[in-house]
Amino acid sequence: ASIPDLKARRRDLLDSYKAATGNLSNRRIYSGKESGIHKPEFYEWINGTLPDSSKTTQTFEKFLEQRVRLK
């Protein structure tokens, strides 16, 4: 996928998570122990530069998707 496509898909996923959980703070997301991502990786993920093949990407997206499904 192209970087603009990744950015759009990831923004949608993040927005869905925020809507489902009421957690609107990026800082609270990347600083939380459950998310499995650190600040630099979080912003690489948002900007589409952290590859889909990255274990961090896979773990983080699974975390977001699970929270969205639970709400």
Side-chain angles (χ1 to χ4, degrees), residues 22-41:
N23 182 0
L24 302 179
S25 167
N26 287 345
R27 184 170 192 255
R28 287 185 62 200
I29 296 168
Y30 64 70
S31 64
K33 293 179 182 173
E34 296 176 350
S35 68
I37 198 165
H38 299 286
K39 183 178 180 178
E41 296 165 320

Side-chain angles (χ1 to χ4, degrees), residues 31-60:
S31 64
K33 293 179 182 173
E34 296 176 350
S35 68
I37 198 165
H38 299 286
K39 183 178 180 178
E41 296 165 320
F42 179 82
Y43 285 103
E44 287 178 19
W45 179 81
I46 283 179
N47 293 325
T49 57
L50 191 66
D52 276 340
S53 60
S54 162
K55 180 69 173 169
T56 300
T57 294
Q58 294 169 8
T59 300
F60 184 60

Side-chain angles (χ1 to χ4, degrees), residues 9 13 17 34-37 45 52 54-70:
R9 182 181 61 75
L13 181 57
Y17 169 85
E34 296 176 350
S35 68
I37 198 165
W45 179 81
D52 276 340
S54 162
K55 180 69 173 169
T56 300
T57 294
Q58 294 169 8
T59 300
F60 184 60
E61 290 184 3
K62 185 176 180 179
F63 162 80
L64 295 175
E65 291 167 351
Q66 286 175 341
R67 298 309 184 278
V68 169
R69 281 194 296 257
L70 293 175

